[in-house]
Amino acid sequence: MLFQVRMDVHLPVDLPAEQGNQIKAVEKAYSQDLQRQGKWRHIWRITGQYSNISIFDVESNEELHNILQGLPLYPYMKIEVMALNRHPSSIREDDR
């Protein structure tokens, strides 16, 4: 199942820099592992914002939910999820 996920990060202004940097380092390792597994297919920054648009390829809604809740930055995120389905007019048979 393919999902488009928008993640907007809102770190507290009073979060100590060292703690923020540690959370970001763990988040990077977690997301890169999911990318290597093929579950986090694409990630793009949104220019001028601490936000991204990502494409996930997972087995179920529950798997995506668990992945997102596992993000170290999850407590500081606003997340929007959109399920994606192949369009009947698409000339492609895969997701390249």
Side-chain angles (χ1 to χ4, degrees):
M1 299 177 72
L2 291 176
F3 293 90
Q4 174 187 299
V5 180
R6 179 184 173 135
M7 294 175 247
D8 300 309
V9 180
H10 304 282
L11 292 175
V13 294
D14 60 347
L15 184 72
E18 185 175 315
Q19 185 180 353
N21 290 338
Q22 175 62 26
I23 293 169
K24 290 175 199 176
V26 175
E27 175 98 3
K28 182 176 183 178
Y30 179 75
S31 70
Q32 289 180 341
D33 182 52
L34 288 165
Q35 289 174 66
R36 286 184 196 93
Q37 292 177 44
K39 295 188 179 294
W40 196 322
R41 296 277 298 271
H42 301 281
I43 183 170
W44 295 276
R45 276 185 173 166
I46 299 174
T47 303
Q49 300 177 35
Y50 193 176
S51 304
N52 74 72
I53 298 286
S54 294
I55 303 296
F56 287 85
D57 188 357
V58 294
E59 294 298 317
S60 66
N61 294 332
E62 184 176 4
E63 182 181 14
L64 178 63
H65 182 77
N66 292 335
I67 286 171
L68 295 176
Q69 282 196 317
L71 292 166
L73 286 170
Y74 179 81
Y76 311 107
M77 288 182 174
K78 176 185 174 207
I79 298 175
E80 295 178 13
V81 176
M82 185 182 309
L84 302 174
N85 296 288
R86 182 156 319 283
H87 195 283
S89 296
S90 176
I91 63 168
R92 307 225 187 296
E93 293 187 26
D94 60 19
D95 298 310
R96 286 182 285 146

